[in-house]
């Protein structure tokens, strides 16, 4: 799931760069940027949780 969120974040960043024609401070640019930020944050959290769970499982096996 983290990879999917990361890919969507990259896609929305790509969309935001093409919608920024006159200014960055308009709704058509800020909305994809906000969605991309959310997606990147969720992806990072999922990666961190994955590594923590993996570390706990490895410690229980020993």
């Amino acid at each position: 799931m983290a990879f999917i969120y990361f890919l969507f974040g990259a896609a929305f960043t790509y969309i935001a760069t093409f919608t920024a024609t006159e200014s960055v401070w308009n709704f058509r640019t800020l909305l994809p940027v906000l969605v991309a930020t959310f997606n990147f944050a969720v992806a990072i959290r999922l990666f961190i949780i994955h590594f923590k769970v993996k570390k706990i499982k490895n410690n229980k096996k020993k």
Side-chain angles (χ1 to χ4, degrees):
M1 285 300 291
F3 287 116
I4 294 171
Y5 277 106
F6 188 80
L7 289 175
F8 274 115
F12 278 105
T13 303
Y14 182 76
I15 292 169
T17 57
F18 281 107
T19 58
T21 54
E22 298 173 8
S23 174
V24 179
W25 302 109
N26 57 20
F27 183 73
R28 290 182 64 203
T29 305
L30 289 178
L31 183 64
V33 169
L34 291 174
V35 173
T37 303
F38 172 76
N39 285 330
F40 284 132
V42 171
I44 290 170
R45 281 186 179 185
L46 288 174
F47 280 126
I48 290 171
I49 289 170
H50 168 73
F51 289 122
K52 284 184 179 180
V53 168
K54 190 175 179 181
K55 184 179 178 181
I56 291 170
K57 283 185 179 181
N58 284 339
N59 286 341
K60 285 187 178 182
K61 287 183 180 179
K62 293 181 181 181

